[in-house]
């Protein structure tokens, strides 16, 4: 058995792990990273990137499909389009492949040693890796656990055959004619919308009273409206029970009534769970916070010299949180004084229209006991949104009434994911309403809606 040592060992090369390793390497820390699959983790291989590729392909297809239907107000007409899902998936895989190679290259450039295989803790300083060429023991001064998360499986709808997780949904070589989506959170709705645009008859089953339950109701209304326009049926307060006896349909209990939904595929997107199994967590006896590994504000676990970052440490399970934690831990290991000091983690749903939330919702802000000023500006009054045929939705700014400090910013609308950077920057820099209102926003852009929302909160709206 070979034995090697390093100062820092990172387990898992998702966005948390690979960023941590790159930054540590750049800072001159002798670093190794172990990954069982391909570099990039869930995000790059079966998450953020491939889902957005599929969503883009579906949007493009739907656009030309609408034009071919003869209902295009822009006056564009064309013959009926077709889609070759094999080619779409191959295109998506090429993007993923380029990014895999890119991450591997960046690790190499930062002088990080990459090891392919499954890592398992022997003790708090030693890890054993099953590699293709045999077992490798690695001793490290510091270890970062970045093992990520996996899809939650329902015991009565186990993955396999027609019951799929997001991973399989991203590589289907044909568009299912009927798709039942169990779970109306962001992953289910992003993929459900994409398949509806590609031609599937989609039904979403959500146990809670409304879709996207983590966002405030007003923000999700335009999404619900669009789903209905796209022919997606949404059953809320309904529970999936399993496949019918014939296996052809999904059995759903909806307000006391049982019904069968025809489903070529059943996509189960009821959440993700931290990947805490199979790598010897029991050998190091880490404290937990529910199912997650408990960490402090420096991402340190209950064991000395062991850090944890990303999805394995808790909500929100988002790539940019993992990245920020990874970068911070690398600097701590390199001897810098760092702690988690972020004011907000943006959340984006790439639904149609898109949803962005940064900081506090109006309800959360009210709960602080502060008097509020809230300004909301509709995209129906924004010139750029009109020219992009994206008038649904709005931007909303929530601020304290006394000193106008901005507490939260939300938006729903076509393409608003790109506004998330401005929203996050405003919150991170402690902007007041006057800072946003007094910044010149380029015309004509959807971002003018952000300035207008701040002006509205100040009682000075110009265009509404
Ligand atoms: C369909 C979908 C869409 C998503 N869209 C978005 C989005 O738009 N924006 C966003 O911010 N987030 C999105 N996410 C969530 C995002 O993918 C995760 O938050 C992010 O990948 C978490 O990063 P991580 O580094 O914690 O772990 P992961 O990306 O899960 O990476 C963990 C890695 O560790 C490896 N590993 C685990 N155990 C071991 C071991 N013992 N030995 C060796 N290797 C191991 C795994 O193989 C994996 O590669 C999406 C997720 C899904 C499923």
């Amino acid at each position: 058995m070979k034995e090697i040592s390093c100062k820092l060992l990172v387990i898992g090369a998702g966005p948390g792990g690979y960023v941590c390793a790159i930054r540590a390497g750049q800072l001159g820390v002798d670093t190794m990273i172990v990954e069982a699959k391909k570099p990039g983790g869930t995000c790059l291989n079966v998450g953020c990137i491939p889902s957005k590729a599929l969503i883009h392909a579906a949007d493009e297809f739907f656009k030309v499909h609408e034009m071919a239907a003869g209902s295009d107000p822009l006056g564009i007409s064309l013959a009926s389009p077709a889609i070759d899902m094999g080619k779409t998936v191959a295109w998506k895989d090429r993007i993923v492949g380029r990014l895999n190679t890119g991450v591997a290259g960046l690790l190499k450039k930062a002088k990080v040693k990459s090891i392919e295989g499954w890592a398992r803790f022997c003790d708090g300083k030693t890890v054993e890796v099953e590699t293709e060429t045999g077992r490798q023991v690695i001793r490290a001064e510091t270890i970062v656990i970045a093992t990520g998360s996996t899809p939650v499986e329902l015991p009565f709808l186990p993955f396999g055959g027609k019951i799929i997780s997001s991973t399989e949904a991203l590589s289907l070589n044909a568009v299912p004619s009927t798709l039942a989506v169990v779970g109306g959170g962001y992953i289910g709705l992003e993929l459900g919308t994409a398949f509806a645009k590609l031609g599937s008859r989609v039904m979403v089953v959500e146990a809670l009273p409304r879709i996207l339950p983590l966002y405030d109701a007003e923000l999700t209304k335009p999404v619900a409206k669009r789903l209905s326009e796209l022919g997606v049926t949404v059953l809320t307060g309904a529970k999936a029970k399993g496949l019918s006896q014939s296996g052809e349909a999904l059995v759903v209990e909806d307000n006391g009534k049982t019904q069968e939904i025809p489903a070529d595929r059943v996509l189960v997107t009821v959440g993700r769970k931290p990947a805490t199994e199979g790598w010897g967590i029991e050998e190091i006896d880490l404290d937990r916070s529910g199912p997650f590994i408990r960490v402090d504000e420096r991402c340190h676990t209950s064991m000395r010299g062991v850090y944890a970052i990303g999805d394995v440490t808790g909500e929100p399970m988002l790539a940019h949180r993992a990245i920020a934690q990874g970068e911070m831990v690398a600097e701590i290991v390199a001897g810098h004084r760092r702690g988690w000091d972020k004011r907000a983690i943006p959340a984006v749903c790439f639904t149609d229209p898109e949803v962005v939330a940064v900081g506090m919702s109006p309800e959360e802000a009210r709960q602080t006991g502060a008097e509020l000023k809230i300004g909301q500006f509709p995209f129906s009054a924004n010139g750029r949104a009109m020219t992009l045929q994206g008038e649904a939705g709005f931007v909303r700014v929530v601020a304290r009434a006394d000193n106008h400090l901005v507490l939260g910013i939300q938006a729903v609308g076509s393409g608003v994911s790109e506004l998330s950077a401005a929203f996050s920057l405003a919150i991170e820099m402690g902007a007041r309403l006057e800072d946003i209102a007094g910044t010149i926003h380029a015309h004509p852009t959807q971002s003018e809606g952000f300035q207008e929302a701040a002006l509205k909160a100040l009682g000075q709206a110009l265009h509404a």
Side-chain angles (χ1 to χ4, degrees), residues 374-425:
I374 299 177
Q376 187 164 314
F377 186 81
F379 282 121
S380 57
N382 174 272
R384 182 60 176 150
M386 289 179 201
T387 65
L388 291 171
Q389 300 173 284
E391 293 181 41
F394 57 85
V395 185
R396 183 173 62 200
V397 178
V398 181
R400 288 180 65 99
D402 53 0
N403 57 9
H404 297 178
L405 180 73
V406 177
L407 301 175
I409 309 165
Q410 300 84 31
V412 52
S414 174
V416 293
S417 54
E418 289 300 330
L419 297 186
S420 66
F423 297 174
S424 301
L425 189 67

Side-chain angles (χ1 to χ4, degrees), residues 90-444:
W91 165 75
K92 178 265 292 178
D93 287 343
R94 281 197 300 280
I95 295 174
V96 170
R98 273 169 58 200
L99 291 169
N100 287 143
T101 314
V103 170
L106 290 169
L107 286 165
K108 204 167 160 196
K109 191 171 156 208
K111 300 196 170 49
V112 175
K113 186 169 173 13
S114 297
I115 296 170
E116 212 180 305
W118 182 259
R120 218 191 135 80
F121 275 89
C122 304
D123 59 48
K125 298 268 174 227
T126 322
V127 163
E128 212 175 76
V129 185
E130 291 291 344
T131 73
E132 268 192 358
T133 53
R135 216 180 273 179
Q136 169 94 66
V137 170
I138 308 172
R139 290 192 198 286
E141 267 175 47
T142 305
I143 300 180
V144 175
I145 301 166
T147 50
S149 61
T150 55
V152 170
E153 191 174 45
L154 293 171
F156 47 87
L157 284 171
F159 293 130
K162 67 156 56 181
I163 303 168
I164 57 174
S165 74
S166 55
T167 300
E168 292 75 39
L170 293 167
S171 288
L172 292 178
N173 52 18
V175 177
S177 64
T178 49
L179 175 71
V181 180
V182 181
Y186 85 94
I187 294 178
L189 291 188
E190 285 185 9
L191 295 178
T193 305
F195 279 104
K197 288 179 177 177
L198 290 168
S200 297
R201 198 144 50 83
V202 177
M203 185 169 279
V204 178
V205 180
E206 167 58 53
L208 292 172
R210 62 184 181 83
I211 54 164
L212 297 174
L214 295 179
Y215 295 83
D216 67 83
E218 209 184 349
L219 209 50
T220 60
K221 270 187 201 151
V223 179
K225 182 164 177 271
R226 183 67 177 142
L227 285 170
S228 157
E229 284 166 8
L230 290 169
V232 175
T233 310
V234 179
L235 299 179
T236 50
K239 282 196 175 130
K241 290 286 171 190
L243 285 186
S244 62
Q245 271 196 339
S246 66
E248 299 291 313
L250 176 72
V251 179
V252 175
E253 203 181 275
D254 179 14
N255 293 310
K257 281 192 220 125
T258 301
Q259 58 168 302
E260 292 192 2
I261 298 170
D264 284 346
R265 300 276 184 173
V266 177
L267 168 61
V268 179
T269 49
V270 291
R272 296 184 59 83
K273 58 175 184 189
T276 50
E277 280 165 28
W279 48 259
I281 195 169
E282 53 288 346
E283 307 297 335
I284 48 175
D285 193 25
L286 298 178
D287 283 359
R288 305 282 191 107
S289 172
F292 300 102
I293 296 176
R294 183 192 292 281
V295 290
D296 64 15
E297 75 295 341
R298 299 167 79 233
C299 285
H300 200 265
T301 67
S302 54
M303 178 171 261
R304 228 173 121 213
V306 178
Y307 293 81
I309 56 174
D311 284 7
V312 78
T313 63
E315 298 285 358
M317 288 199 253
L318 292 171
H320 39 277
R321 171 175 172 269
I323 289 170
Q325 290 179 323
E327 192 236 347
M328 176 186 77
V329 168
E331 297 199 348
I332 291 170
V333 174
H336 299 198
R337 276 175 67 88
R338 286 285 310 265
W340 188 257
D341 58 358
K342 309 295 179 198
R343 295 172 78 124
I345 301 172
V348 178
C349 291
F350 292 81
T351 40
D352 180 6
E354 294 175 349
V355 182
V356 178
V358 187
M360 292 183 209
S361 68
E363 192 45 43
E364 286 163 344
R366 264 179 216 113
Q367 280 168 15
T368 66
E371 287 278 308
L372 302 178
K373 277 192 183 293
I374 299 177
Q376 187 164 314
F377 186 81
F379 282 121
S380 57
N382 174 272
R384 182 60 176 150
M386 289 179 201
T387 65
L388 291 171
Q389 300 173 284
E391 293 181 41
F394 57 85
V395 185
R396 183 173 62 200
V397 178
V398 181
R400 288 180 65 99
D402 53 0
N403 57 9
H404 297 178
L405 180 73
V406 177
L407 301 175
I409 309 165
Q410 300 84 31
V412 52
S414 174
V416 293
S417 54
E418 289 300 330
L419 297 186
S420 66
F423 297 174
S424 301
L425 189 67
I427 300 247
E428 204 60 51
M429 297 195 70
R432 286 161 208 277
L433 289 172
E434 289 79 357
D435 296 318
I436 300 164
T439 300
I440 297 178
H441 285 68
H443 177 77

